[in-house]
Amino acid sequence: MSDAATALAQEPSKRRERGGRSARRELRSHGPEGLGRPYILRNIPTYDILSEESLVRIEATADRILAEIGIEFRDDPVALDHWKRAGAKIDGVLVKFEPGMLRELLKTAPAEFTQHARNPANSVIIGGKSVVFSPAYGSPFVMDLDKGRRYGTIEDFGNFVKLAQSSPWLHHSGGTICEPVDVPVNKRHLDMVYSHIKYSDRPFMGSVTAESRAEDSIDMARIVFGEDFVNRNCVILGNVNVNSPLVWDATMTTALRAYARANQAAVIVPFILGGAMGPVTNAGAIAQSLAETMAGCALTQLERPGAPVIFGNFLSSMSLRSGSPTFGTPEPAIGSMVVGQLARRLNLPLRCSGNFTTSKLPDAHAMNEGTMSMLAAVHCGANFILHSAGFLDGLLSMSYEKFVMDADFCGALHTYLDGVKIDDNELALEAFREVGPGSHFFGCAHTMQNYETAFWDSEIADNEPFEKWEAAGSEDAAIRANRRWKRALAEYQAPPLDEAIDDALKDFIERKKASMQDAWY
Amino acid sequence: MSDAATALAQEPSKRRERGGRSARRELRSHGPEGLGRPYILRNIPTYDILSEESLVRIEATADRILAEIGIEFRDDPVALDHWKRAGAKIDGVLVKFEPGMLRELLKTAPAEFTQHARNPANSVIIGGKSVVFSPAYGSPFVMDLDKGRRYGTIEDFGNFVKLAQSSPWLHHSGGTICEPVDVPVNKRHLDMVYSHIKYSDRPFMGSVTAESRAEDSIDMARIVFGEDFVNRNCVILGNVNVNSPLVWDATMTTALRAYARANQAAVIVPFILGGAMGPVTNAGAIAQSLAETMAGCALTQLERPGAPVIFGNFLSSMSLRSGSPTFGTPEPAIGSMVVGQLARRLNLPLRCSGNFTTSKLPDAHAMNEGTMSMLAAVHCGANFILHSAGFLDGLLSMSYEKFVMDADFCGALHTYLDGVKIDDNELALEAFREVGPGSHFFGCAHTMQNYETAFWDSEIADNEPFEKWEAAGSEDAAIRANRRWKRALAEYQAPPLDEAIDDALKDFIERKKASMQDAWY
């Protein structure tokens, strides 16, 4: 990573709107020791769970899946043509790859790249030691304690963009934070991308549900950043899913090629529910994920060598009792850590997911599973962590309360990923000399010099004595979170947006919307 | 670790009473792939967070604290005499240690040992790759959803022993699970130890609040196991706390010496709240913890060379806003991982804590902090994890609901610590051949052969579809946990206890109680 990138990551971000905080909190976040940053540079090692020998066996299995079973690329003759010219074996839509071929193709993909934000202070590095937290993606429903569950709307969508922008602990505005079901399916992407640009000045994601929608998303980014800049720099991501097992369909391959063609980063993500879209055994599902992701990533390089691309994964398990998918369980947590090692061996930026759960409420169940999955994501070395905030009910609902709980936990992870500093001040030998046996450190010079930045201080946790907590109404964390998101929305202030750009975006959207009938599928 | 120990850990435990479970769950826990075990043998590596260079700096700081500042040993002339004969520098009650002296003394302590249970199938290995989960320890209050918070009683104490015994995922009966405040302080230990022996056939802990109470606890163990067996084997643990900073008082040193003298294992635990009992900076608190623990562990070896001893720690942070202690925050999680590396360098069994929180309810806050601290404990390589179940309100309350939630999470960690198996069946190449691109794995031969043992299946999580969950009453995890602990108590069956032993214990307790006036301090 360049020195400039390091400086960028370490400089506290200036643009956050955080009215109503105490002066001490302000000092923590904006001072030289401030924890809020445009992204995290991890200062703790990745957790390498498997031996070299075991990793080689998984890679060999992936190679055999690719060579002996193959992957179908359906309804996309351009993709098939790419593979043919690259030397793959084509039989109808089935493509087989000699061992090593995809690895060779992936060598043109960058190990890390910058995704630019419209506010340059918020640009993020994706790859290397960087960690970027992005909200959850793709729920049809939203929920909160007051109104319960209902379909998401474009207003909800905007609210979540505002909540993400308001949090010092998220780094990315995300993509389809929730489905705005009050907008026609074929026009939604325009309003979603506009909301990201208008209400946030952080990096964001565009549409992938059709090639034309991917291109509209990129065109809107061109209005913001300029055509030439976009051709030379990554400013938008597109999250494309494999149709597991072992099928890439044209919707996804044309979208991923649209992003690659424009030099924008596709995120390549097999969604494998063990026992359904992949084997019920973890090692097999991981091998499959590796095979499918390598194929998708390599296709971006055939479309445009050197285009940024992110190696993704989404492993999950199944309940034996109900047959339902499960999230935040131990098997996918272990899976994330193995995938992390595999991605590093390919020298590609890694996407994982965190804060997963099947819970329908922002309760103990939600945060137990969420915390386990999120810690796996940060331990495995993920660079871009989707679903970092809001995820409930197996990705069916975005929760307002869980969003702010998760964002708060992302704050804790800023401290966690800083690890432990070792220097004379931190080792504090002078403090021991000052205090000695049997006394206390409350007012000692070392404490006074260090306490303001010493500890992570959650906004959701209640650390007060029981009696004080009880006198204040015996609230649980969900009720505190409910108040927290309402305050954040009330205090939200939009980041400035150049009027000419805003007008050009509105004009683009109006023309696009006028050019087609509403479609609801 | 011996082959016998490995076989012991892998053999599914036979003695659990788990009526009311489905046949499939029974098969999971008792079959050849059963997850319930007397203890866990970790199959994933420890997470080594710090470099050799940083560890050496922490060790050097601990050595300087010991040599230049020293530790006070108050009101225990025998301890001072031990130190004098070992070559330490004594000035009144202040003891200073030349660098390397304590490390040398610690060489006689075993790297791992067996703590025997009265049911041999439940004996645990402490040290090496073993992980033992033990309930929370020391709360004056108990709480549940029905009755709220109140002082703990001996009935509550017994209930928690029964709940621990009923769970396939805990391995140890613990110690002072809650304070039975309806029993006089000077007689409590007798009823607590009796409850552990009567209602559980797992290993347990004795009293440390006075030398005589430690000796009573050990005497009761002698009644169960026989005097000679106890002299040759560890059957009881005593958890002793340093009076941080840098003070060992006579209550604790006489108790730890009583355990060591009887060849039983003391657990040596500094409780350091950064900024109060130690420096506000993490590295300094860790160095202090190392110094204090080494001194305590070494004292056991002076009392009886070769006595088992456990290297413990309890680091915590502080809320900047309220001045209250915080638990389950990132700093102590990082601290645990560093302490793990330090303990391994001393070749001593390690105690850490997990499932910590300041929350007053079994809510999202509780499980977010709890999960973070518990994962740190298992990643750091802890062998004996105290506070594995029930902890609420910064150790002031044992929660019935959180107890069963935490025990369920301990179950998830059995799967997590198994890691990922890599063999032909797990890699599942044949399944890919069978299913091929675009189909699904639901009914394939590989799935049918593997699904029953494939995934962790929580009893607390609700993975049902939203509509089904809603129709069943929209319950949160706490309500499910409330039902779960009531069912476990209703279905509890006491493990058989030899009548002669039971009578001898009762007789011992009666005589002891009759020999002293009630005291309430």
Side-chain angles (χ1 to χ4, degrees):
Chain A
M1 186 166 294
S2 71
D3 287 353
T6 304
L8 179 63
Q10 287 169 342
E11 188 189 349
S13 181
K14 307 280 195 300
R15 49 62 195 109
R16 285 186 296 279
E17 303 297 333
R18 312 196 305 118
R21 304 286 186 85
S22 74
R24 187 183 289 158
R25 298 282 297 173
E26 288 298 317
L27 184 143
R28 279 168 60 86
S29 298
H30 293 287
E33 294 281 328
L35 296 173
R37 280 157 279 179
Y39 57 95
I40 300 172
L41 275 183
R42 61 185 303 129
N43 195 36
I44 64 173
T46 55
Y47 177 59
D48 293 334
I49 193 167
L50 276 193
S51 65
E52 168 78 16
E53 184 196 345
S54 294
L55 294 170
V56 167
R57 285 197 68 180
I58 292 175
E59 288 170 341
T61 303
D63 282 350
R64 292 189 65 182
I65 293 170
L66 290 163
E68 298 170 24
I69 293 151
I71 295 181
E72 290 187 4
F73 286 80
R74 295 182 182 170
D75 307 315
D76 185 352
V78 178
L80 287 175
D81 190 54
H82 278 325
W83 290 126
K84 198 174 169 183
R85 282 189 286 124
K89 244 168 51 193
I90 318 284
D91 179 7
V93 296
L94 185 67
V95 183
K96 292 182 177 174
F97 311 86
E98 284 302 303
M101 173 189 158
L102 294 179
R103 276 167 218 285
E104 193 57 35
L105 289 174
L106 289 174
K107 287 186 177 162
T108 54
E112 66 178 54
F113 63 90
T114 300
Q115 185 188 358
H116 293 268
R118 71 177 179 87
N119 177 349
N122 292 340
S123 295
V124 297
I125 303 275
I126 297 180
K129 292 191 169 187
S130 83
V131 180
V132 172
F133 293 137
S134 183
Y137 185 112
S139 298
F141 298 105
V142 299
M143 49 168 74
D144 64 58
L145 291 193
D146 306 301
K147 292 189 255 173
R149 188 178 82 150
R150 70 276 181 189
Y151 279 106
T153 64
I154 193 67
E155 189 188 343
D156 290 306
F157 189 99
N159 284 342
F160 282 113
V161 172
K162 292 172 185 176
L163 288 177
Q165 169 78 6
S166 304
S167 170
W169 313 121
L170 298 170
H171 312 117
H172 205 277
S173 196
T176 306
I177 304 189
C178 66
E179 284 288 346
V181 301
D182 53 344
V183 181
V185 170
N186 61 336
K187 300 178 178 178
R188 251 172 224 182
H189 63 290
L190 301 164
D191 291 350
M192 289 195 280
V193 171
Y194 180 76
S195 294
H196 282 301
I197 297 171
K198 177 77 175 175
Y199 300 128
S200 172
D201 59 1
R202 288 181 172 162
F204 61 94
M205 307 170 89
S207 177
V208 295
T209 55
E211 183 172 20
S212 62
R213 296 175 200 156
E215 286 176 340
D216 286 348
S217 304
I218 299 165
D219 280 341
M220 290 175 73
R222 289 187 177 113
I223 291 171
V224 177
F225 291 91
E227 202 151 327
D228 185 55
F229 189 88
V230 171
N231 190 42
R232 289 181 293 106
N233 296 284
C234 178
V235 300
I236 188 168
L237 306 182
N239 193 73
V240 296
N241 284 118
V242 186
N243 204 340
S244 302
L246 304 176
V247 174
W248 275 97
D249 66 39
T251 304
M252 291 292 107
T253 54
T254 57
L256 85 77
R257 291 193 296 100
Y259 279 92
R261 199 157 59 239
N263 202 24
Q264 305 306 303
V267 193
I268 309 295
V269 187
F271 170 30
I272 301 176
L273 170 60
M277 300 87 111
V280 78
T281 49
N282 215 356
I286 293 166
Q288 174 187 346
S289 180
L290 176 60
E292 294 174 344
T293 308
M294 283 204 298
C297 290
L299 186 58
T300 67
Q301 300 305 300
L302 294 174
E303 184 76 15
R304 177 164 171 164
V309 63
I310 301 176
F311 184 98
N313 76 102
F314 191 125
L315 297 165
S316 202
S317 55
M318 195 163 65
S319 166
L320 297 175
R321 285 175 294 165
S322 66
S324 302
T326 49
F327 296 92
T329 48
E331 294 86 358
I334 294 287
S336 285
M337 290 188 288
V338 177
V339 169
Q341 290 182 275
L342 295 168
R344 279 192 292 287
R345 289 159 70 91
L346 288 168
N347 208 22
L348 290 177
L350 172 64
R351 179 214 117 144
C352 282
S353 312
N355 284 328
F356 272 0
T357 183
T358 54
S359 181
K360 287 82 180 167
L361 292 171
D363 65 351
H365 169 197
M367 292 309 277
N368 174 229
E369 291 182 338
T371 304
M372 185 168 206
S373 60
M374 193 62 171
L375 282 168
V378 303
H379 282 139
C380 82
N383 305 111
F384 181 72
I385 304 184
L386 201 66
H387 308 305
S388 287
F391 191 112
L392 274 189
D393 192 12
L395 206 43
L396 290 174
S397 282
M398 275 296 282
S399 155
Y400 279 83
E401 286 81 18
K402 179 132 183 301
F403 192 95
V404 296
M405 286 179 182
D406 288 342
D408 188 75
F409 181 47
C410 287
L413 292 171
H414 280 65
T415 296
Y416 188 78
L417 287 161
D418 277 346
V420 55
K421 267 189 284 189
I422 306 289
D423 60 29
D424 285 345
N425 177 57
E426 296 285 323
L427 288 164
L429 194 60
E430 289 313 310
F432 292 107
R433 285 196 214 287
E434 185 187 349
V435 172
S439 191
H440 65 73
F441 290 72
F442 284 122
C444 83
H446 181 264
T447 300
M448 296 311 289
Q449 281 153 26
N450 289 280
Y451 81 95
E452 282 183 324
T453 55
F455 298 122
W456 162 247
D457 204 357
S458 163
E459 288 201 321
I460 298 297
D462 184 310
N463 303 307
E464 299 288 353
F466 185 90
E467 293 72 14
K468 199 168 165 187
W469 166 83
E470 193 176 36
S474 302
E475 292 177 346
D476 71 8
I479 295 173
R480 294 193 293 274
N482 179 272
R483 201 163 47 236
R484 181 74 192 81
W485 70 256
K486 288 175 180 167
R487 200 182 77 199
L489 283 186
E491 292 174 355
Y492 167 82
Q493 291 184 332
L497 175 63
D498 185 282
E499 242 177 81
I501 290 175
D502 199 7
D503 289 343
L505 287 167
K506 286 184 198 153
D507 180 61
F508 177 89
I509 293 168
E510 201 176 327
R511 279 186 295 111
K512 282 285 166 184
K513 285 191 172 177
S515 72
M516 48 188 168
Q517 298 277 309
D518 290 356
W520 291 95
Y521 52 88
Chain B
M1 186 166 296
S2 71
D3 286 351
T6 303
L8 180 62
Q10 286 168 343
E11 188 190 350
S13 182
K14 306 278 191 303
R15 50 68 194 101
R16 284 186 296 279
E17 303 297 332
R18 312 195 305 114
R21 303 286 185 86
S22 73
R24 186 182 288 159
R25 297 282 297 172
E26 288 300 317
L27 184 142
R28 277 167 62 87
S29 296
H30 293 285
E33 292 281 328
L35 297 173
R37 279 156 280 180
Y39 57 94
I40 300 172
L41 273 185
R42 61 185 304 128
N43 194 35
I44 64 174
T46 55
Y47 178 58
D48 293 336
I49 194 167
L50 276 193
S51 65
E52 168 77 16
E53 186 196 344
S54 294
L55 294 170
V56 166
R57 284 197 68 180
I58 292 174
E59 289 170 341
T61 303
D63 283 350
R64 291 189 65 183
I65 293 169
L66 290 164
E68 299 171 23
I69 294 151
I71 296 183
E72 290 185 4
F73 286 80
R74 297 182 181 169
D75 307 315
D76 185 353
V78 177
L80 287 176
D81 190 54
H82 278 325
W83 289 126
K84 198 173 168 184
R85 281 189 286 123
K89 242 166 58 191
I90 319 285
D91 179 7
V93 295
L94 185 67
V95 183
K96 293 183 177 174
F97 311 85
E98 283 304 301
M101 172 189 159
L102 294 179
R103 274 167 219 286
E104 194 57 35
L105 289 174
L106 290 173
K107 287 186 178 162
T108 55
E112 67 179 54
F113 62 90
T114 300
Q115 185 187 356
H116 293 268
R118 71 176 178 87
N119 177 348
N122 292 340
S123 295
V124 298
I125 302 273
I126 298 180
K129 291 191 169 189
S130 82
V131 181
V132 172
F133 293 136
S134 182
Y137 185 112
S139 297
F141 299 104
V142 298
M143 50 167 76
D144 65 57
L145 291 193
D146 305 301
K147 294 190 252 170
R149 188 178 81 150
R150 71 273 181 189
Y151 279 104
T153 64
I154 193 67
E155 188 188 343
D156 290 305
F157 189 98
N159 285 341
F160 282 113
V161 172
K162 292 173 185 175
L163 288 176
Q165 169 79 5
S166 304
S167 169
W169 313 123
L170 297 170
H171 311 118
H172 205 276
S173 196
T176 306
I177 304 189
C178 66
E179 283 288 345
V181 302
D182 53 343
V183 182
V185 170
N186 60 336
K187 299 179 178 177
R188 251 172 226 182
H189 62 289
L190 301 164
D191 292 349
M192 290 195 280
V193 171
Y194 181 74
S195 295
H196 282 301
I197 296 170
K198 176 79 176 172
Y199 301 128
S200 173
D201 59 1
R202 289 182 172 160
F204 62 94
M205 308 171 87
S207 176
V208 295
T209 55
E211 184 173 18
S212 62
R213 296 176 200 156
E215 286 176 339
D216 286 348
S217 304
I218 298 164
D219 280 341
M220 290 175 72
R222 289 188 177 112
I223 292 171
V224 177
F225 291 91
E227 201 151 327
D228 183 54
F229 189 88
V230 171
N231 189 43
R232 289 181 293 107
N233 296 284
C234 179
V235 301
I236 188 168
L237 307 182
N239 192 72
V240 296
N241 284 118
V242 187
N243 204 340
S244 302
L246 302 175
V247 174
W248 274 98
D249 65 39
T251 305
M252 292 291 107
T253 54
T254 56
L256 84 78
R257 290 193 296 100
Y259 280 91
R261 198 158 57 241
N263 202 25
Q264 305 306 303
V267 193
I268 309 295
V269 187
F271 171 29
I272 301 176
L273 170 61
M277 299 88 109
V280 79
T281 49
N282 216 356
I286 293 165
Q288 175 187 345
S289 181
L290 176 61
E292 293 174 345
T293 308
M294 283 203 298
C297 290
L299 186 57
T300 66
Q301 299 306 300
L302 293 174
E303 184 75 17
R304 176 163 171 166
V309 62
I310 301 178
F311 184 99
N313 76 103
F314 191 124
L315 297 164
S316 202
S317 56
M318 195 165 64
S319 167
L320 297 174
R321 284 176 294 166
S322 66
S324 301
T326 48
F327 295 92
T329 48
E331 295 85 359
I334 294 287
S336 285
M337 290 188 288
V338 177
V339 169
Q341 291 182 274
L342 295 168
R344 279 191 292 288
R345 290 158 71 91
L346 287 168
N347 207 22
L348 290 177
L350 172 65
R351 179 215 116 144
C352 281
S353 311
N355 285 328
F356 271 2
T357 183
T358 55
S359 182
K360 287 83 183 167
L361 294 170
D363 65 351
H365 169 197
M367 292 310 277
N368 174 228
E369 292 182 337
T371 304
M372 186 168 205
S373 60
M374 193 63 171
L375 282 168
V378 302
H379 282 138
C380 81
N383 304 110
F384 181 72
I385 304 184
L386 199 67
H387 307 305
S388 287
F391 191 113
L392 273 189
D393 192 13
L395 206 44
L396 291 174
S397 283
M398 274 298 281
S399 155
Y400 280 82
E401 286 81 17
K402 180 136 183 299
F403 192 95
V404 295
M405 287 181 181
D406 288 342
D408 187 76
F409 181 47
C410 287
L413 291 172
H414 280 65
T415 296
Y416 187 78
L417 287 162
D418 276 347
V420 55
K421 267 190 284 188
I422 306 288
D423 60 29
D424 286 343
N425 177 57
E426 295 285 323
L427 288 164
L429 194 61
E430 289 313 309
F432 292 106
R433 284 195 216 288
E434 184 186 350
V435 173
S439 191
H440 64 73
F441 290 72
F442 283 120
C444 81
H446 181 263
T447 300
M448 297 311 290
Q449 282 154 24
N450 289 280
Y451 81 95
E452 281 185 324
T453 54
F455 298 123
W456 162 247
D457 204 358
S458 163
E459 288 201 320
I460 297 298
D462 184 310
N463 303 307
E464 300 289 352
F466 184 91
E467 293 73 13
K468 199 167 165 189
W469 167 82
E470 194 177 35
S474 302
E475 292 178 344
D476 71 8
I479 295 172
R480 294 194 292 274
N482 180 271
R483 200 164 45 238
R484 181 75 193 78
W485 69 257
K486 288 176 181 167
R487 200 182 76 198
L489 284 186
E491 292 174 355
Y492 167 82
Q493 292 184 331
L497 176 63
D498 184 282
E499 241 178 82
I501 290 176
D502 198 8
D503 289 343
L505 288 168
K506 285 184 199 152
D507 180 61
F508 177 89
I509 293 169
E510 200 177 326
R511 281 186 294 111
K512 282 283 166 183
K513 285 192 174 178
S515 73
M516 49 189 166
Q517 297 278 307
D518 289 356
W520 290 94
Y521 49 87

